[in-house]
Amino acid sequence: MNTMASSAAAPSVVSPRDRNRSAIRAWLYAVALVIFALIVVGGATRLTESGLSITEWKPIHGVVPPLSTEEWQEEFDLYRQIPQYQQINRGMSLDEFKTIYWWEWAHRFLARGVGIVFALPLAFFWLTGRIEPFLKPRLLGILALGALQGGIGWWMVASGLSVRTDVSQYRLATHLTIACIIFAAIIWVARGLARPRFEAPPSRGSIGVAGLILFLTFVQIYLGGLVAGLNAGLTFNTWPLMDGAWIPGGLLTMQPAWRNFFENVMTVQFVHRMGAYTLFAVVAAHAAASLMLAPGTRHARVALVLFFLVLAQASIGIVTLLLAVPIGWGLAHQAGGVVVLAMAVVHLRSLKGEYPERAYLAR
């Protein structure tokens, strides 16, 4: 009897697998937090037109900012050679240049920081045998995407250094979307490493709808990148009507027609609006169905939280548009999009369940 009582009172033993998964999960969430900050600062560089202030790609040397008046003047002279300065910012003072330079430097510094925060712990966990075999290709894939993203970032900046006065909206939207894919992949893996508490999906179609919500979120993020790249948020600043109509004229004025969806300011903003309405409707219907089919479950609660996040994000988007994109509201809208993405990933991951224990045993 005493032995049984003693055993019952003893704390549960935490397995090596659980300890390792907990440590890796905490590390991945820390990386995701840094990426979140990176995306927000990236939005600030766009809103302040700072992205072209550093005209050279120096992955190693570039971590050190100018430290003397001569070095600042050298950077400024390089900037004065590109079209953005010559056509838009001619006459800018050195102090004004420093303001935009610091935004872009901070963005690149955070990008380098993400690489370090991801790569060094990855090496530690790998070399000490804490990473389960099934996790290794997933983490290496994320690392490879991060390296690719660095190249895409410079590819984007290079588009604005010779002919254009800003970066290509195609490349900006690609850069933003890849950043969000990396962020989502990290959240996905981290969430899968939580202690198993699987609940059956409320219905056969729940996983499919949750996947659709995640896909629509990525589409909205890409469209938001196009809107930012074209400065489309500075036009048609009314809601719910656009240019005085529900469906404005001039949506398909470019030839060939496909160009309108990437280069026509009116069409890009209109499609972004329609995408928001579609996402909102799907999330609302999904939350209502979850509450009816599985009231009180974790799935229903997460679906409801996701609905309120999308509602808040749509409201921020409307205010941002009506105010013609002040920097504070613009950054709130970008940050809100990333928060919605994170919750959409968590929701789908919870429907699919955590990584099983046998994945740890299969060495």
Side-chain angles (χ1 to χ4, degrees), residues 219-220 223 242 251 260-261 266-276:
V219 170
Q220 273 299 91
L223 291 172
M242 181 176 179
L251 291 176
N260 290 280
F261 296 95
M266 173 183 283
T267 307
V268 168
Q269 190 193 122
F270 179 76
V271 173
H272 190 50
R273 292 188 186 206
M274 294 302 106

Side-chain angles (χ1 to χ4, degrees), residues 52-346:
L52 299 177
S53 57
I54 302 178
T55 60
E56 295 180 331
W57 191 28
K58 302 175 181 177
I60 305 300
H61 176 66
V63 73
V64 181
L67 299 176
S68 66
T69 302
E70 292 75 16
E71 290 178 351
W72 275 113
Q73 191 61 50
E74 180 183 347
E75 291 290 338
F76 190 27
D77 289 342
L78 290 171
Y79 177 69
R80 291 195 295 183
Q81 297 173 23
I82 69 172
Q84 187 183 78
Y85 173 83
Q86 295 168 1
Q87 298 178 33
I88 297 176
N89 290 333
R90 182 177 291 275
M92 169 184 279
S93 68
L94 180 59
D95 285 340
E96 290 172 328
F97 170 72
K98 288 180 180 180
T99 299
I100 63 172
Y101 183 96
W102 280 121
W103 274 118
E104 177 61 8
W105 182 86
H107 183 55
R108 297 193 188 193
F109 181 81
L110 279 172
R112 294 181 178 96
V114 169
I116 294 172
V117 171
F118 189 87
L120 292 184
L122 173 62
F124 169 78
F125 287 127
W126 194 301
L127 293 174
T128 55
R130 287 173 167 83
I131 300 178
E132 300 166 53
F134 81 98
L135 268 183
K136 292 179 178 179
R138 290 167 169 81
L139 297 175
L140 286 178
I142 293 171
L143 182 65
L145 272 178
L148 175 65
Q149 176 71 336
I152 291 173
W154 177 247
W155 175 64
M156 176 190 68
V157 170
S159 67
L161 296 180
S162 57
V163 178
R164 300 172 58 102
T165 60
D166 56 4
V167 300
S168 162
Q169 73 273 22
Y170 292 96
R171 301 185 188 189
L172 175 64
T174 300
H175 188 53
L176 173 62
T177 304
I178 296 297
C180 289
I181 288 173
I182 295 170
F183 175 82
I186 289 173
I187 295 294
W188 179 270
V189 173
R191 185 64 189 82
L193 293 173
R195 290 200 175 195
R197 48 175 183 164
F198 179 70
E199 295 178 355
S203 71
R204 186 176 301 176
S206 295
I207 294 177
V209 176
L212 175 62
I213 290 170
L214 181 58
F215 172 75
L216 291 174
T217 303
F218 274 120
V219 170
Q220 273 299 91
I221 287 170
Y222 180 80
L223 291 172
L226 292 179
V227 169
L230 291 170
N231 291 319
L234 301 178
T235 61
F236 308 107
N237 301 107
T238 59
W239 186 85
L241 300 182
M242 181 176 179
D243 199 28
W246 291 104
I247 302 178
L251 291 176
L252 299 174
T253 57
M254 292 182 174
Q255 295 298 328
W258 65 265
R259 288 181 55 205
N260 290 280
F261 296 95
F262 302 94
E263 301 176 20
N264 185 325
V265 170
M266 173 183 283
T267 307
V268 168
Q269 190 193 122
F270 179 76
V271 173
H272 190 50
R273 292 188 186 206
M274 294 302 106
Y277 299 151
T278 302
L279 177 60
F280 179 82
V282 173
V283 170
H286 180 61
S290 297
L291 290 171
M292 288 188 295
L293 294 172
T297 64
R298 180 162 52 103
H299 298 318
R301 291 193 296 271
V302 173
L304 190 61
V305 170
L306 182 57
F307 166 73
F308 282 115
L309 285 175
V310 171
L311 177 63
Q313 172 67 352
S315 302
I316 293 171
I318 292 168
V319 174
T320 303
L321 176 69
L322 294 177
L323 297 178
V325 199
I327 186 169
W329 283 99
L331 294 182
H333 189 51
Q334 180 136 327
V338 181
V339 172
V340 169
L341 173 63
M343 185 54 67
V345 171
V346 167

